[in-house]
Amino acid sequence: LKVGAVCNACPRPDIPEDFPDVDFSMIDEYKEGTHISHWFLKLMASEGWDEDKMNDLLAENEYGTGMLYYHVFRTFDVMIVTPKETRDKLRYGSIQRIVSVMKSTVPVLVEVQGSAFEHFVDGYEYPCVYSKEGDKYPSLEEALDKLKDVSARKKCQEVGLRIAEDFDPDVMVKQLLNTLGYHGDFEC
């Protein structure tokens, strides 16, 4: 099982080095460089990427940086998203990071820590979670063992894509306009 995590100054998940059948890679953008162009080729050169190809994609207005992340995420079987451990992030969270990875169609294993992530995964009944506390949610090791099964990963993908649809900009704008009282037809 090829497992990855990309984060800026987030804690490394506690995956034992000798965990059976799991190959884990973490890209800490704080150390590697906060813009993906600083570390992308180090990871993706073996996948046929070169500087020209990367720069061509970065220059595209429609795709750009987001598409580079998409290609990185797609090199893994599972991506782990951990919360940033500041008080505000634990309370208000960064759900955007979870949804961004879900949009890539790669199964996302979410560490439930803090009220924002807990409310998010519980509200959607998202099945691919773990917690260090282990009371309500499985441990990291239990969750990884479960995700070795292709059908478990497929379930994560299906629910993740439904969640990502709720966070689509068109859907969010329409919800906002409805909240503000506009109920006519509109195209985003």
Side-chain angles (χ1 to χ4, degrees), residues 1 77-78 105-107 128 143-158:
L1 186 67
D77 299 315
V78 174
T105 73
V106 174
C128 304
L144 287 171
D145 275 334
K146 178 179 145 189
L147 290 172
K148 290 176 184 176
D149 179 8
V150 173
S151 63
R153 294 196 306 269
K154 184 175 171 78
K155 179 71 173 173
C156 295
Q157 285 176 308
E158 291 169 353

Side-chain angles (χ1 to χ4, degrees), residues 57-156:
L57 190 54
L58 281 171
E60 288 186 23
N61 289 333
E62 190 173 349
Y63 299 110
T65 303
M67 187 57 76
L68 290 181
Y69 279 101
Y70 170 86
H71 285 290
V72 168
F73 299 156
R74 299 283 300 158
T75 65
F76 295 99
D77 299 315
V78 174
M79 290 294 296
I80 295 177
V81 177
T82 59
K84 295 184 179 182
E85 294 184 332
T86 65
R87 182 172 175 248
D88 285 345
K89 289 291 184 183
L90 289 174
R91 186 168 182 195
Y92 302 110
S94 182
I95 303 307
Q96 173 270 331
R97 290 179 42 241
I98 299 170
V99 174
S100 291
V101 181
M102 287 176 170
K103 285 183 178 190
S104 74
T105 73
V106 174
V108 179
L109 181 56
V110 178
E111 179 186 349
V112 182
Q113 181 183 1
S115 57
F117 278 29
E118 183 173 8
H119 180 74
F120 177 78
V121 299
D122 288 352
Y124 280 103
E125 297 179 1
Y126 187 66
C128 304
V129 298
Y130 76 95
S131 175
K132 292 176 186 172
E133 281 77 51
D135 294 343
K136 183 176 176 182
Y137 306 102
S139 69
L140 176 57
E141 290 83 3
E142 292 167 335
L144 287 171
D145 275 334
K146 178 179 145 189
L147 290 172
K148 290 176 184 176
D149 179 8
V150 173
S151 63
R153 294 196 306 269
K154 184 175 171 78
K155 179 71 173 173
C156 295

Side-chain angles (χ1 to χ4, degrees), residues 33-50:
T34 56
H35 193 273
I36 191 169
S37 63
H38 296 141
W39 53 265
F40 180 81
L41 291 176
K42 184 173 12 174
L43 180 69
M44 299 297 288
S46 64
E47 303 286 328
W49 285 84
D50 61 25

